[in-house]
Amino acid sequence: MIYAYDILVNLNEDLIDFYDWKSTDELTHIRRVPLFKVNDKTYFDLLYKRVRIDEDVMLIIKEKTQVFTSKSLETITYAASFTNGLNACLITFDSKGFTHKKSKYLVNEELEITELACKMRETIINYNIINNTIHLNNMTRYERSKLKIILEELDKIKDDNKKIDYLYYEWFGKEESNNKYIELIKSLKEAYTPKHNEFLEILNLLTLQK
């Protein structure tokens, strides 16, 4: 079996890109983890969908992942690292084979794994897709926290038509709409841009007005 060695991961149910890691996050120092090279579809499904791996895969990876602790080594029962030759990730599975927690790698560690993958053959990983919904984070945690504030402040004034009309025009540059509040919420959630920061400043000024 091929392993990836000595890597840091930030395991969460919601995947967090390495650039969004915080100093307060609980990072896990992996001593070793089984490494599989898979095709692009398998990599994408494992990373972004809810899947269940077959029992034969679970038997192969069972108790093979070791973690450094302050005193000794501990074992993660079901975990594996996957790469498509361009990217790499680590995924843990529960006792029934469902994807549980996931982590991207730091850039230098991902590069080491993808270089190793050049000499590896692809492995067929048998799995079933349980939920076909693709979970992609299009915002950093900082951006999501800012958006949360915006939505909360908007909710406070949602019945104030004059303020909503003004905010709608500031955001869209037009006045016509069937439901300005709903359209604002939908558009704000699509992706975070510098315009959100300007919008929040205007919103703060409006909510201060009696």
Side-chain angles (χ1 to χ4, degrees), residues 5 7 11 15 19 35 38-40 53 55 69 120 122 129-130 134-135 155-156 161 167 192 194:
Y5 291 91
I7 46 181
L11 290 165
L15 188 65
Y19 54 77
L35 174 63
V38 295
N39 61 37
D40 291 338
I53 58 172
E55 188 175 354
T69 66
M120 297 173 60
E122 286 187 2
I129 297 176
I130 305 303
I134 299 172
H135 297 282
D155 184 66
K156 294 177 183 178
N161 293 331
L167 289 168
Y192 200 93

Side-chain angles (χ1 to χ4, degrees), residues 78-175:
Y78 300 106
S81 180
F82 300 93
T83 177
N84 62 351
L86 295 175
N87 307 102
C89 65
L90 188 145
I91 300 175
T92 67
F93 303 88
D94 65 20
S95 60
K96 295 183 179 180
F98 293 100
T99 49
H100 184 211
K101 295 185 177 182
K102 307 174 182 182
S103 177
K104 294 284 190 69
Y105 290 136
L106 296 173
V107 174
N108 61 319
E109 295 178 347
E110 184 174 53
L111 285 173
E112 290 178 2
I113 291 174
T114 54
E115 287 177 5
L116 178 59
C118 293
K119 303 175 183 179
M120 297 173 60
R121 293 182 178 179
E122 286 187 2
T123 299
I124 297 176
I125 301 294
N126 297 314
Y127 63 94
N128 294 312
I129 297 176
I130 305 303
N131 187 334
N132 209 36
T133 302
I134 299 172
H135 297 282
L136 293 173
N137 289 328
N138 60 348
M139 299 182 191
T140 66
R141 285 190 281 181
Y142 170 79
E143 291 168 346
R144 289 197 294 274
S145 67
K146 283 289 188 179
L147 177 61
K148 184 174 183 291
I149 294 172
I150 290 173
L151 297 179
E152 288 174 348
E153 293 302 309
L154 269 178
D155 184 66
K156 294 177 183 178
I157 60 170
K158 64 182 179 181
D159 295 323
D160 190 325
N161 293 331
K162 185 176 180 180
K163 291 181 179 179
I164 294 298
D165 287 347
Y166 179 76
L167 289 168
Y168 183 89
Y169 183 80
E170 286 295 317
W171 184 257
F172 290 104
K174 63 179 184 178
E175 296 180 354

Side-chain angles (χ1 to χ4, degrees), residues 31-48:
R31 177 182 177 271
R32 73 173 193 186
V33 57
L35 174 63
F36 299 94
K37 184 178 182 180
V38 295
N39 61 37
D40 291 338
K41 182 183 184 305
T42 298
Y43 182 82
F44 186 88
D45 287 344
L46 289 170
L47 191 58
Y48 294 115

